[in-house]
């Protein structure tokens, strides 16, 4: 079983749609959680950290459920520019070593 | 300020040759990481440096892979006797300290023929 699992998609949605991505992680000792965004042939960039209380950044909302070892990302009012691969990322210790999911591809269509 | 830089951006080599990839972290960042990303896959952790501590090499796939870092500056990742399965994008990231946000370089795309 992979340490971090995501549905690879692709998710094809129209502009303005709301879309949700889910991710599960296997290590219950995981300490911190992130969503990164990766555009085609580019490096990953931090989208947002994920906190137990849930957090929101504009159109993006992230949630963490430690009991179920589950992380989610909600994107409201999708824009064409949101088209990318979204990587679920987990840090299991104090070293900063990140474990990446395979990524979920989003394609927003006009 | 300047971000993480990597060189070369692309490297094509023949099977069996050695290659050296370079990473310049953000100035002042004490932690440096190497990852590998095969086509269509997620990132795989390779190695981590934190200050003058012994590096965490737990992700290196074989003894053909090695990396060095001098102090808190440049790091080099060396792959000896390259194989076709080594073809991937090699990404370097740095952070102010372990556990802080990691900033990635643009990567080196390695193709082994």
């Amino acid at each position: 079983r992979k340490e971090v699992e995501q549905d690879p998609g692709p998710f094809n949605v129209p502009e303005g749609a709301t879309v949700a991505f889910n991710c599960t992680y296997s290590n219950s000792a995981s300490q911190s959680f992130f969503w990164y965004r990766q555009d085609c042939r580019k490096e990953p960039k931090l989208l947002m950290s994920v906190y137990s209380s849930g957090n929101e950044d504009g159109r993006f909302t992230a949630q963490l459920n430690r009991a179920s070892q589950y992380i989610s990302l909600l994107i409201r009012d999708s824009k064409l520019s949101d088209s990318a691969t979204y990587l679920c990322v987990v840090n299991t210790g104090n070293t900063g070593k990140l474990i990446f999911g395979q990524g979920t591809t989003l394609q927003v269509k006009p | 300020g300047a971000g993480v830089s990597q060189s070369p951006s692309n490297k094509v080599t023949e099977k069996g040759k050695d290659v050296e990839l370079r990473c310049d972290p953000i100035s002042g960042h004490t932690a440096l990481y190497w990852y590998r990303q095969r086509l269509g896959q997620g990132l795989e952790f390779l190695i981590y440096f934190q200050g003058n501590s012994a590096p965490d090499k737990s992700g290196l796939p074989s003894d053909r892979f090695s990396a060095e870092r001098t102090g808190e500056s440049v790091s080099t990742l060396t792959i000896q006797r390259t194989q076709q399965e080594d073809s991937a994008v090699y990404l370097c990231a740095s952070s102010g300290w372990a556990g802080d946000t990691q900033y990635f370089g643009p990567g080196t795309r390695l193709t082994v023929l």
Side-chain angles (χ1 to χ4, degrees):
Chain A
R1 182 186 171 190
K2 292 181 181 176
E3 290 189 72
V4 179
E5 295 209 58
Q6 296 180 250
D7 179 350
F11 284 62
N12 295 304
V13 303
E15 269 187 293
T18 295
V19 61
F21 305 138
N22 303 318
C23 165
T24 57
Y25 60 95
S26 60
N27 188 338
S28 59
S30 298
Q31 298 188 0
S32 49
F33 310 88
F34 310 91
W35 284 100
Y36 274 71
R37 170 189 169 134
Q38 186 172 29
D39 292 287
C40 189
R41 299 178 77 88
K42 297 286 190 182
E43 71 273 21
K45 293 186 178 177
L46 179 67
L47 179 64
M48 57 197 304
S49 300
V50 187
Y51 305 114
S52 297
S53 55
N55 49 300
E56 187 174 307
D57 182 2
R59 297 181 294 108
F60 298 82
T61 301
Q63 297 271 345
L64 167 64
N65 183 323
R66 286 188 183 270
S68 302
Q69 295 180 204
Y70 171 95
I71 305 160
S72 66
L73 176 68
L74 184 76
I75 305 175
R76 291 181 299 278
D77 189 23
S78 300
K79 311 290 184 192
L80 295 176
S81 58
D82 293 334
S83 297
T85 296
Y86 291 84
L87 302 168
C88 177
V89 185
V90 171
N91 181 349
T92 57
N94 295 323
T95 66
K97 171 183 167 182
L98 299 178
I99 309 297
F100 284 77
Q102 181 183 1
T104 299
T105 299
L106 172 66
Q107 185 68 42
V108 181
K109 307 261 185 209
Chain B
V4 178
S5 61
Q6 292 186 244
S7 61
S9 54
N10 282 285
K11 176 72 177 178
V12 180
T13 190
E14 293 179 348
K15 179 181 172 182
K17 302 280 190 185
D18 298 352
V19 296
E20 192 171 276
L21 313 180
R22 176 186 169 109
C23 172
D24 279 274
I26 293 172
S27 178
H29 278 191
T30 63
L32 186 148
Y33 308 81
W34 283 98
Y35 297 88
R36 176 172 72 178
Q37 187 173 30
R38 290 194 167 116
L39 187 64
Q41 303 295 315
L43 277 72
E44 301 170 71
F45 166 78
L46 297 178
I47 188 169
Y48 154 69
F49 296 90
Q50 170 65 54
N52 294 316
S53 303
D56 176 352
K57 303 180 182 180
S58 60
L60 294 179
S62 78
D63 59 7
R64 296 186 295 103
F65 287 73
S66 62
E68 291 186 352
R69 186 185 188 196
T70 305
E72 295 182 357
S73 61
V74 170
S75 175
T76 55
L77 176 69
T78 301
I79 309 173
Q80 295 178 307
R81 304 180 303 282
T82 51
Q83 304 294 313
Q84 288 183 333
E85 63 262 26
D86 299 334
S87 296
V89 176
Y90 289 82
L91 290 153
C92 174
S94 72
S95 64
W97 58 88
D100 191 24
T101 299
Q102 293 184 25
Y103 296 89
F104 283 82
T108 293
R109 185 173 300 276
L110 175 66
T111 303
V112 182
L113 301 176

